[in-house]
Amino acid sequence: MPETISAAALAGGLSWASGIRLYMTLFIAGLFAHLGWIELPPALQVLQSPWVMAVTGALLVVEFLADKVPGVDSAWDAIHTVIRVPAGAVLGAAALGQMGPEWTTIAAILGGTFAAGAHLTKAGSRALINTSPEPFSNWAASFTEDAAVLGGLWAAFFHPWVLFVFLIAFFIVAAWLLPKLWRGLRWLFRRLST
């Protein structure tokens, strides 16, 4: 049972985090496994390859810098809408790949859902924050997202129950926030089109 809980936390944590910072998620998981701090399931052990870590590390730097520039961050998010959600599904399935196919399928569905929820909440809120003329609110949001992903991964790797509580709280806030973000984005698009 503890192994199943750890695997579920890994699947949920990687999927959720990939919806916000995909390359940070891949790099941190690979680095921690490479250093021997965690053991990844067989389907994810490729992340600890030095070659994979070099690519995800380089993309992490690009993602980190792009996310700090207002406007560029929204363009980056728009492009990654078609990357982060499938990546979350793949990470969720890979984390439970040693279990039966029914669990792998459920993990892929939930992984894509977690990544989509995290991505839509992040991208929508950042698009609205970008309407502010000063860059400080954008930087604060970006660094908060960095910290949340690091904290979420730490919990997924070492404290599964903390992660589960965090994910429940995140999705309650996201369910409350997403309709407001949608209204705000509709207002923004109407304002820009006039």
Side-chain angles (χ1 to χ4, degrees):
M1 188 67 169
E3 288 180 14
T4 303
I5 291 170
S6 293
L10 182 65
L14 291 176
S15 298
W16 170 82
S18 72
I20 299 173
R21 295 280 191 276
L22 174 60
Y23 306 113
M24 178 186 284
T25 301
L26 298 174
F27 180 77
I28 294 294
L31 178 65
F32 278 28
H34 183 76
L35 295 173
W37 296 349
I38 62 170
E39 185 174 342
L40 291 173
L44 291 174
Q45 288 177 359
V46 69
L47 296 177
Q48 64 196 37
S49 156
W51 289 104
V52 173
M53 288 174 50
V55 171
T56 58
L59 289 169
L60 162 61
V61 171
V62 173
E63 180 177 57
F64 181 85
L65 295 174
D67 199 67
K68 303 304 183 267
V69 180
V72 173
D73 63 337
S74 290
W76 184 265
D77 285 342
I79 293 166
H80 280 80
T81 299
V82 296
I83 299 171
R84 290 178 182 154
V85 176
V90 169
L91 289 169
L96 295 182
Q98 71 278 13
M99 298 181 154
E102 65 279 359
W103 290 108
T104 304
T105 302
I106 291 168
I109 293 167
L110 290 177
T113 303
F114 283 11
H119 174 71
L120 291 173
T121 303
K122 176 225 190 292
S125 60
R126 292 298 287 282
L128 290 177
I129 289 171
N130 283 339
T131 62
S132 173
E134 46 74 33
F136 302 110
S137 56
N138 183 285
W139 295 338
S142 183
F143 283 116
T144 301
E145 293 160 5
D146 293 335
V149 167
L150 290 172
L153 291 174
W154 169 81
F157 298 152
F158 303 113
H159 300 283
W161 291 108
V162 173
L163 176 76
F164 296 142
V165 170
F166 171 77
L167 288 177
I168 290 168
F170 176 85
F171 284 108
I172 288 171
V173 170
W176 172 81
L177 187 62
L178 281 172
K180 292 166 181 40
L181 290 174
W182 179 249
R183 285 192 299 275
L185 289 172
R186 282 188 10 219
W187 170 82
L188 179 63
F189 288 132
R190 279 196 308 267
R191 188 173 148 203
L192 291 174
S193 65
T194 58

